[in-house]
Amino acid sequence: MAKKRNIGSIPGTIVYTGNVTGTQVSINYLEYNQNGYRAESALNNGEITIYPPIDEYIQWYDIRGLHDNDLMQKIVSSFKIHPLVIEDAVDIHQRPTYVEYLDGHFISLKSLEFNSEKSTVEKETVSIYFGNKFIITFQENEDDIFKVIRERIINKKGRVVAKGADYLAYIIVDYIVDNYFSVLDAVEEQVEELEESISLQSDDVDKLSIYKLKKNILKIRKSIAPLREAVNLFSRSDSKLIDSKTLTFIKDVYDHTIQIIDNADSLRDILSGLQDLYISEVSLQMNKVMQVLTIITAIFVPLSFLAGLYGMNFVNIPELRAQNGYYILIGIMVLIALSMIYFFKSRKWF
Amino acid sequence: MAKKRNIGSIPGTIVYTGNVTGTQVSINYLEYNQNGYRAESALNNGEITIYPPIDEYIQWYDIRGLHDNDLMQKIVSSFKIHPLVIEDAVDIHQRPTYVEYLDGHFISLKSLEFNSEKSTVEKETVSIYFGNKFIITFQENEDDIFKVIRERIINKKGRVVAKGADYLAYIIVDYIVDNYFSVLDAVEEQVEELEESISLQSDDVDKLSIYKLKKNILKIRKSIAPLREAVNLFSRSDSKLIDSKTLTFIKDVYDHTIQIIDNADSLRDILSGLQDLYISEVSLQMNKVMQVLTIITAIFVPLSFLAGLYGMNFVNIPELRAQNGYYILIGIMVLIALSMIYFFKSRKWF
Amino acid sequence: MAKKRNIGSIPGTIVYTGNVTGTQVSINYLEYNQNGYRAESALNNGEITIYPPIDEYIQWYDIRGLHDNDLMQKIVSSFKIHPLVIEDAVDIHQRPTYVEYLDGHFISLKSLEFNSEKSTVEKETVSIYFGNKFIITFQENEDDIFKVIRERIINKKGRVVAKGADYLAYIIVDYIVDNYFSVLDAVEEQVEELEESISLQSDDVDKLSIYKLKKNILKIRKSIAPLREAVNLFSRSDSKLIDSKTLTFIKDVYDHTIQIIDNADSLRDILSGLQDLYISEVSLQMNKVMQVLTIITAIFVPLSFLAGLYGMNFVNIPELRAQNGYYILIGIMVLIALSMIYFFKSRKWF
Amino acid sequence: MAKKRNIGSIPGTIVYTGNVTGTQVSINYLEYNQNGYRAESALNNGEITIYPPIDEYIQWYDIRGLHDNDLMQKIVSSFKIHPLVIEDAVDIHQRPTYVEYLDGHFISLKSLEFNSEKSTVEKETVSIYFGNKFIITFQENEDDIFKVIRERIINKKGRVVAKGADYLAYIIVDYIVDNYFSVLDAVEEQVEELEESISLQSDDVDKLSIYKLKKNILKIRKSIAPLREAVNLFSRSDSKLIDSKTLTFIKDVYDHTIQIIDNADSLRDILSGLQDLYISEVSLQMNKVMQVLTIITAIFVPLSFLAGLYGMNFVNIPELRAQNGYYILIGIMVLIALSMIYFFKSRKWF
Amino acid sequence: MAKKRNIGSIPGTIVYTGNVTGTQVSINYLEYNQNGYRAESALNNGEITIYPPIDEYIQWYDIRGLHDNDLMQKIVSSFKIHPLVIEDAVDIHQRPTYVEYLDGHFISLKSLEFNSEKSTVEKETVSIYFGNKFIITFQENEDDIFKVIRERIINKKGRVVAKGADYLAYIIVDYIVDNYFSVLDAVEEQVEELEESISLQSDDVDKLSIYKLKKNILKIRKSIAPLREAVNLFSRSDSKLIDSKTLTFIKDVYDHTIQIIDNADSLRDILSGLQDLYISEVSLQMNKVMQVLTIITAIFVPLSFLAGLYGMNFVNIPELRAQNGYYILIGIMVLIALSMIYFFKSRKWF
């Protein structure tokens, strides 16, 4: 995990806290309304082109990559953003939050993805800042995670082209929250696999898998839980930057957020049930092992003693001289063995 | 579990998230008041007949089956419903919720049933949308789960025929919540059976049964817990679509909802007590096995050693030549065995 | 447990949900004020005599037995009670609750008793409906649980004869809540007995007793916890049916209710501490058993091997021919045994 | 524990619920202001002298011993106290509470003391009732627990002599809460001792000590937790009996109360961490025992088998006749033993 | 831990509760604004120089060391501070809190540091009192923990020189809270190391490490949790001593505080997952040991019995006289051993 926090730095300082990868920051610009759109995509050459606001057009600046501090500084001054917005946007450890500033609203949340190869959940910090007729989105790396939304705008699907920046912000949050469901489904599938392998007492139960799944669920919960409060604030906003009709939609996202947390909690509970099951499986298996050990010991140790007894070299052991002594002893031994077996059968040990 | 969520789709899009079964969607129409009723039942031929509102009659459209997106689209436009209503109605993963829209109120909840064969709890999503003088109910499949209510209306039993659509909505919610009690009772019966078999140390304790019951209770809780908030909102509504006299009844449903959650929690606690009991049973049984093993070992291993000692072939072992050596040794062995038995008796090992 | 719930019935329907015992419903009437009283007691002959209200007298109808639906119907119509009141009063599964209706207030709660023979807590549902100058109490069976209160009224002890129906309702709730303390004390005594028998490692620890006590405490908690909210509502009522001076007393009952819940929680925590103690006792005992087994094995198995070695029949084993071979071997064996004992002593195994 | 509750008695009845000890109730009177003081101390001769209020003097009646019901009755009538005050003051099971009556305020709390001999926490119920210029304190027995405060008044230390009865009430509560810290410190010391003895695997870990400490912390928590709410109410009072400047001080006590609860919770968590540590210690020790057993068995059982093999009396066992057979076998045995040891070394079993 | 609390002392008494070290108290004075600064540093000679307020300059008195009660007394009288402020400032057990007094605001919090040598978290109590144009900070010892902030002021970095005392207070709180992240990161690193060593079943898992980490996290949580409420109060203050623009920044610190608590809780949950993993590891290892023991016993004990059988000295054992008896027996023994091995293989015991 990246741990380069900007501890001790001046508040409002723009310090990227993630790992700087080689890739360049890119800026993707889209302006649209019901009538048409214009898209510009540029690698960051140290400059950001600020397109003049056009009447009735929504301007969307999609910043991919957070490690260019100069660029961030320019964004702050161009859009007159409160310095804390950018400080929080470039802090990949930022907790999901919703803050209303004077000229714009800031939303920070986590985009989750399930890495099926490593069986881990990977998170990326996404921030949204929107004001009147413009929106800026920030994400850690160059993946085009909003491709679906952009295409929807370009193809004029849905209501988004007829609505303001607040609705686009809602669409983005909704899209990310919807994604949580597929991440949880993937984790749930793994829980179900684990359940099967434990209940079948199959031997390839990876002892670490319960722990790993727990960590995944914890990670998801930690990423989503604070969003509940954030989306709640968003859905109750009385800012004039947010259309009251949009609020109905945001309340729907709020409902989904709670549902996701419910599902995560439910998975966690199922998992801890599985852990209890696993532990009692281990105990039961130990019991079986002990029973085998005890049965064998209990049958053969007394018999061995008898054999040892008549292997002694005392000059005077009358039984040894009996013609049928050996056969009688064998008979006695069979009796002992049978009664032992009967004893264990009656205790249902096998 | 059906996992076809409409992730990434446009908000308000109608996408059925359950499994599409072969059965056709059917629409059952009932209009009634204190004076009489008219019922129509039709398979979905891709059309829905919208009956014109009649003075003082309540119109109930009972839609069974959610997978015909065209039909749903027609309902949206015919009744001028907010698109989110239908999106939520056809989403079988929808969390129980209550939302007031301008022209109607939406309630989503889960109908639970105990499948006694598989010992699982099965849930079906039921949604209710009611406005002035009309109500639309949505359910996943073709079972006539509201038969009892329909017959009550037809036979003019109870107050329902004299009341509005809000009261019918209440009756339906009340009916579903009442059903939860019988589901919980079935689970409780299983918990009691499990309790008996564990406390009798019977051997046919299914190791999975505690886990399965836990999962069932979790499922019930997850289905019901959000209903608490939903019914609470319903019972505190100040909408003019809801008669204030109906609110008293809804408050009663609210009480029942809390009681159901209480009962589920109580069952969960009893179950975790049972689990602790089971685990200590397993430990105690292991103790018993170990004691048997130890007693047999402790008695026969020293005796076998003595026998082995006098089975040695040293030329000079004076005891072997004693005329009564064998008998004396047998005596000593009996003494050792008895003192061992006494030792274990004093420790109350058997 | 009685499980005949009125599932699917029309709301407000009067259906007794308990077990119908052979006993007849009896009605006990008492009218009183500071000046005098009149008591009437009658078995239910299918009728209820409604006594006309007398100026400045309080009328108390004490209904014992809930299974006569006709009688209940008559009470509803005679006193103009909201139908939900009686539905809830005859539902023995009713959660403790407090509801204010237009003409009267309804309180439902559980009367608990400790059955010292079976070591179980038994509960009975008691409901109170009081209005202006009258009170109706409902209880499941024919026990005269309010005898103490009735005698107090007849003997003009305390303030009750000078106060209204609200004060009598308070007195009844207070009496039932006070009883909880003795039930909890009885359970606490059992917990203390269990504590002693576990800490003394006595063998007659009933493995089920922890589980049973847990269930008892759960049952108590489930009966009392909802009362907290109910009595709180009662104590904050601004209804004109309740004298403000009575509220001070109800607040005192509220305090007692919280205290009872505190005590039950505290007992539950002590019990789970006891369970942990018991489990570690079992583990420790297993450790002791294992140590005995290991010590015996570790001492005698090597010795037996040596004895077996010199019991072999090789033609050429020089040691066997040594005159003192036997004695030397015995010496070596003693040395081995002593060093083993020393080893285990140093590990403090005995 | 004393369990003589006044169950079923008339509300407001004065019934002492503790154990009546032989000692007499004593009354200690102190009147003071900035100019001087007068102290009177009297054993209870069945009478209480009510001193007439003197201008600008605070009157403090310190009642030690609660079992004289007549005296309590006289206090009720002399000071015109609400009967519930005295009922609660003499109920030693009273939950910490704060109630404002018309002419005075009532505070009930627990004075805790750590009995280092028995390692238990002992509690005493202390109640305070203060009005305009007077204060009455009630305590269970004759210890002069407020000696420090009285001396502070007599020696005119601190602000107390210049302030009202409300400030004296605050001083008393503050003093008792301060004492909680030393009780918790004593318990903490015991937890630290236990921690050391468990982490050193010393053998004198008293198996009961964790349980006993848990019970102590539970007892402390139960005594203090309700005080939080009580002191909160006290600190937010807008009664004219309490000077607004005093409120700042009471808020400080409130802070301390929360801190105490925090500390108790923290201790409880540390203790449950210790318990987990202890349980895994026990398991690890069992593992060690099992390993010793297994190593000895695994080395000697195969060797014993070989020895037994060549102790057989078959007429034709060629190996027995080999001149070096014995030495070769010894060599094989050493090889087996070494490879076993190597196997266990490689598994890090010793 | 230092335990010298001022129990029983007069409220508002200045009693240092920490350990008095030999070091002298030092006072560091800094006055600054946008135009310049003046710094004075002095060891405490029993006096404190009170610098006269200069127009538009902020005065910062940084007191290092709390054990000089006389000095504290002088500060109280010089700055007209409420006596409780200093009592709380010198109480190193003071819970993080925020109190607004008439002329100034008081913040108490803990500065944490991770001692990587002892693997413990060390805390120091820091208090801040700020009023109009001045701020006083209190810390336990002579470390210059605010060096970074002082340099920032001197070098005119950031906004701080242009703002009031409220902003400096914010900067200090922000700095301390930021430090929590690095402490948590250090603990997280240790948790990750532990995770690795447990999951690799490495033998050098320190049995105490889980317990120690738990204690560390508890300590951190206890230090930070109350800060949440304190910073919340701070961020919602409507005092005229705090500029409304500063509030936005304080809300940001509030967010960080919640995030820290989230992280600590998350670590605690991961740790308890690790503990479960460790316990099941121990159980699984025991299972393996038991299996080895059982396999060896099950193979060799029956064989030894057979060998013992033919080592008996009966005069008439026909098998012994068979020419190939020995070889046949060896064959039978091999068969028995193989079938045992097959049995255990089929149970997947090795």
Side-chain angles (χ1 to χ4, degrees), chain C residues 29-41:
Chain C
Y29 175 76
L30 179 69
E31 66 183 33
Y32 68 90
N33 68 2
Q34 278 172 287
N35 303 319
Y37 74 94
R38 183 160 70 99
E40 305 271 349
S41 175

PDB file of all heavy atoms in Angstrom, chain C residues 29-41:
ATOM      1  N   TYR C  29     -64.923  -7.400  38.954  1.00  0.00           N
ATOM      2  CA  TYR C  29     -65.216  -5.977  38.885  1.00  0.00           C
ATOM      3  C   TYR C  29     -64.970  -5.331  40.242  1.00  0.00           C
ATOM      4  O   TYR C  29     -65.290  -5.897  41.285  1.00  0.00           O
ATOM      5  CB  TYR C  29     -66.667  -5.774  38.459  1.00  0.00           C
ATOM      6  CG  TYR C  29     -67.098  -4.335  38.483  1.00  0.00           C
ATOM      7  CD1 TYR C  29     -66.708  -3.453  37.480  1.00  0.00           C
ATOM      8  CD2 TYR C  29     -67.904  -3.855  39.503  1.00  0.00           C
ATOM      9  CE1 TYR C  29     -67.107  -2.132  37.502  1.00  0.00           C
ATOM     10  CE2 TYR C  29     -68.312  -2.533  39.538  1.00  0.00           C
ATOM     11  CZ  TYR C  29     -67.905  -1.672  38.528  1.00  0.00           C
ATOM     12  OH  TYR C  29     -68.292  -0.372  38.550  1.00  0.00           O
ATOM     13  N   LEU C  30     -64.355  -4.163  40.222  1.00  0.00           N
ATOM     14  CA  LEU C  30     -64.114  -3.420  41.462  1.00  0.00           C
ATOM     15  C   LEU C  30     -64.331  -1.942  41.180  1.00  0.00           C
ATOM     16  O   LEU C  30     -63.724  -1.384  40.265  1.00  0.00           O
ATOM     17  CB  LEU C  30     -62.666  -3.661  41.936  1.00  0.00           C
ATOM     18  CG  LEU C  30     -62.239  -2.928  43.207  1.00  0.00           C
ATOM     19  CD1 LEU C  30     -62.961  -3.491  44.424  1.00  0.00           C
ATOM     20  CD2 LEU C  30     -60.731  -3.046  43.411  1.00  0.00           C
ATOM     21  N   GLU C  31     -65.220  -1.314  41.943  1.00  0.00           N
ATOM     22  CA  GLU C  31     -65.318   0.141  41.820  1.00  0.00           C
ATOM     23  C   GLU C  31     -64.941   0.730  43.161  1.00  0.00           C
ATOM     24  O   GLU C  31     -65.286   0.204  44.219  1.00  0.00           O
ATOM     25  CB  GLU C  31     -66.710   0.587  41.341  1.00  0.00           C
ATOM     26  CG  GLU C  31     -67.834   0.311  42.314  1.00  0.00           C
ATOM     27  CD  GLU C  31     -69.198   0.699  41.744  1.00  0.00           C
ATOM     28  OE1 GLU C  31     -69.371   0.581  40.511  1.00  0.00           O
ATOM     29  OE2 GLU C  31     -70.076   1.078  42.518  1.00  0.00           O
ATOM     30  N   TYR C  32     -64.171   1.828  43.152  1.00  0.00           N
ATOM     31  CA  TYR C  32     -63.641   2.351  44.410  1.00  0.00           C
ATOM     32  C   TYR C  32     -63.341   3.837  44.286  1.00  0.00           C
ATOM     33  O   TYR C  32     -63.157   4.365  43.199  1.00  0.00           O
ATOM     34  CB  TYR C  32     -62.357   1.611  44.798  1.00  0.00           C
ATOM     35  CG  TYR C  32     -61.206   1.909  43.872  1.00  0.00           C
ATOM     36  CD1 TYR C  32     -60.346   2.969  44.135  1.00  0.00           C
ATOM     37  CD2 TYR C  32     -60.994   1.142  42.730  1.00  0.00           C
ATOM     38  CE1 TYR C  32     -59.299   3.261  43.276  1.00  0.00           C
ATOM     39  CE2 TYR C  32     -59.968   1.421  41.870  1.00  0.00           C
ATOM     40  CZ  TYR C  32     -59.111   2.473  42.138  1.00  0.00           C
ATOM     41  OH  TYR C  32     -58.085   2.754  41.285  1.00  0.00           O
ATOM     42  N   ASN C  33     -63.381   4.488  45.438  1.00  0.00           N
ATOM     43  CA  ASN C  33     -62.723   5.788  45.579  1.00  0.00           C
ATOM     44  C   ASN C  33     -62.318   5.910  47.045  1.00  0.00           C
ATOM     45  O   ASN C  33     -62.274   4.898  47.762  1.00  0.00           O
ATOM     46  CB  ASN C  33     -63.615   6.940  45.096  1.00  0.00           C
ATOM     47  CG  ASN C  33     -64.811   7.146  46.000  1.00  0.00           C
ATOM     48  OD1 ASN C  33     -64.965   6.454  47.025  1.00  0.00           O
ATOM     49  ND2 ASN C  33     -65.678   8.066  45.623  1.00  0.00           N
ATOM     50  N   GLN C  34     -62.010   7.108  47.517  1.00  0.00           N
ATOM     51  CA  GLN C  34     -61.518   7.255  48.891  1.00  0.00           C
ATOM     52  C   GLN C  34     -62.560   6.859  49.917  1.00  0.00           C
ATOM     53  O   GLN C  34     -62.237   6.522  51.051  1.00  0.00           O
ATOM     54  CB  GLN C  34     -61.110   8.714  49.136  1.00  0.00           C
ATOM     55  CG  GLN C  34     -59.712   8.983  48.594  1.00  0.00           C
ATOM     56  CD  GLN C  34     -59.395  10.460  48.656  1.00  0.00           C
ATOM     57  OE1 GLN C  34     -59.941  11.217  47.876  1.00  0.00           O
ATOM     58  NE2 GLN C  34     -58.519  10.850  49.574  1.00  0.00           N
ATOM     59  N   ASN C  35     -63.804   6.888  49.503  1.00  0.00           N
ATOM     60  CA  ASN C  35     -64.872   6.651  50.476  1.00  0.00           C
ATOM     61  C   ASN C  35     -65.257   5.192  50.623  1.00  0.00           C
ATOM     62  O   ASN C  35     -65.680   4.757  51.693  1.00  0.00           O
ATOM     63  CB  ASN C  35     -66.102   7.464  50.081  1.00  0.00           C
ATOM     64  CG  ASN C  35     -65.738   8.936  49.976  1.00  0.00           C
ATOM     65  OD1 ASN C  35     -64.983   9.435  50.815  1.00  0.00           O
ATOM     66  ND2 ASN C  35     -66.225   9.606  48.940  1.00  0.00           N
ATOM     67  N   GLY C  36     -65.111   4.415  49.556  1.00  0.00           N
ATOM     68  CA  GLY C  36     -65.512   3.018  49.702  1.00  0.00           C
ATOM     69  C   GLY C  36     -65.286   2.255  48.427  1.00  0.00           C
ATOM     70  O   GLY C  36     -64.661   2.740  47.478  1.00  0.00           O
ATOM     71  N   TYR C  37     -65.795   1.016  48.405  1.00  0.00           N
ATOM     72  CA  TYR C  37     -65.562   0.206  47.213  1.00  0.00           C
ATOM     73  C   TYR C  37     -66.701  -0.799  47.073  1.00  0.00           C
ATOM     74  O   TYR C  37     -67.450  -1.077  48.023  1.00  0.00           O
ATOM     75  CB  TYR C  37     -64.227  -0.524  47.320  1.00  0.00           C
ATOM     76  CG  TYR C  37     -64.257  -1.672  48.291  1.00  0.00           C
ATOM     77  CD1 TYR C  37     -64.529  -2.984  47.838  1.00  0.00           C
ATOM     78  CD2 TYR C  37     -64.034  -1.484  49.650  1.00  0.00           C
ATOM     79  CE1 TYR C  37     -64.569  -4.043  48.730  1.00  0.00           C
ATOM     80  CE2 TYR C  37     -64.080  -2.522  50.530  1.00  0.00           C
ATOM     81  CZ  TYR C  37     -64.342  -3.810  50.071  1.00  0.00           C
ATOM     82  OH  TYR C  37     -64.388  -4.846  50.938  1.00  0.00           O
ATOM     83  N   ARG C  38     -66.862  -1.362  45.864  1.00  0.00           N
ATOM     84  CA  ARG C  38     -67.788  -2.451  45.652  1.00  0.00           C
ATOM     85  C   ARG C  38     -67.085  -3.447  44.739  1.00  0.00           C
ATOM     86  O   ARG C  38     -66.521  -3.062  43.718  1.00  0.00           O
ATOM     87  CB  ARG C  38     -69.069  -1.954  44.994  1.00  0.00           C
ATOM     88  CG  ARG C  38     -70.122  -3.042  44.809  1.00  0.00           C
ATOM     89  CD  ARG C  38     -71.495  -2.415  44.616  1.00  0.00           C
ATOM     90  NE  ARG C  38     -71.581  -1.748  43.323  1.00  0.00           N
ATOM     91  CZ  ARG C  38     -72.144  -2.295  42.231  1.00  0.00           C
ATOM     92  NH1 ARG C  38     -72.700  -3.489  42.301  1.00  0.00           N
ATOM     93  NH2 ARG C  38     -72.197  -1.627  41.101  1.00  0.00           N
ATOM     94  N   ALA C  39     -67.086  -4.724  45.095  1.00  0.00           N
ATOM     95  CA  ALA C  39     -66.423  -5.742  44.279  1.00  0.00           C
ATOM     96  C   ALA C  39     -67.431  -6.768  43.813  1.00  0.00           C
ATOM     97  O   ALA C  39     -68.303  -7.177  44.578  1.00  0.00           O
ATOM     98  CB  ALA C  39     -65.311  -6.414  45.077  1.00  0.00           C
ATOM     99  N   GLU C  40     -67.362  -7.144  42.547  1.00  0.00           N
ATOM    100  CA  GLU C  40     -68.217  -8.194  42.008  1.00  0.00           C
ATOM    101  C   GLU C  40     -67.293  -9.167  41.275  1.00  0.00           C
ATOM    102  O   GLU C  40     -66.397  -8.767  40.551  1.00  0.00           O
ATOM    103  CB  GLU C  40     -69.220  -7.621  40.989  1.00  0.00           C
ATOM    104  CG  GLU C  40     -70.089  -6.496  41.500  1.00  0.00           C
ATOM    105  CD  GLU C  40     -71.362  -7.012  42.134  1.00  0.00           C
ATOM    106  OE1 GLU C  40     -71.663  -8.218  41.980  1.00  0.00           O
ATOM    107  OE2 GLU C  40     -72.064  -6.211  42.789  1.00  0.00           O
ATOM    108  N   SER C  41     -67.554 -10.440  41.465  1.00  0.00           N
ATOM    109  CA  SER C  41     -66.757 -11.429  40.770  1.00  0.00           C
ATOM    110  C   SER C  41     -67.686 -12.404  40.084  1.00  0.00           C
ATOM    111  O   SER C  41     -68.615 -12.908  40.695  1.00  0.00           O
ATOM    112  CB  SER C  41     -65.857 -12.160  41.756  1.00  0.00           C
ATOM    113  OG  SER C  41     -65.185 -13.187  41.103  1.00  0.00           O
TER     114      SER C  41
END
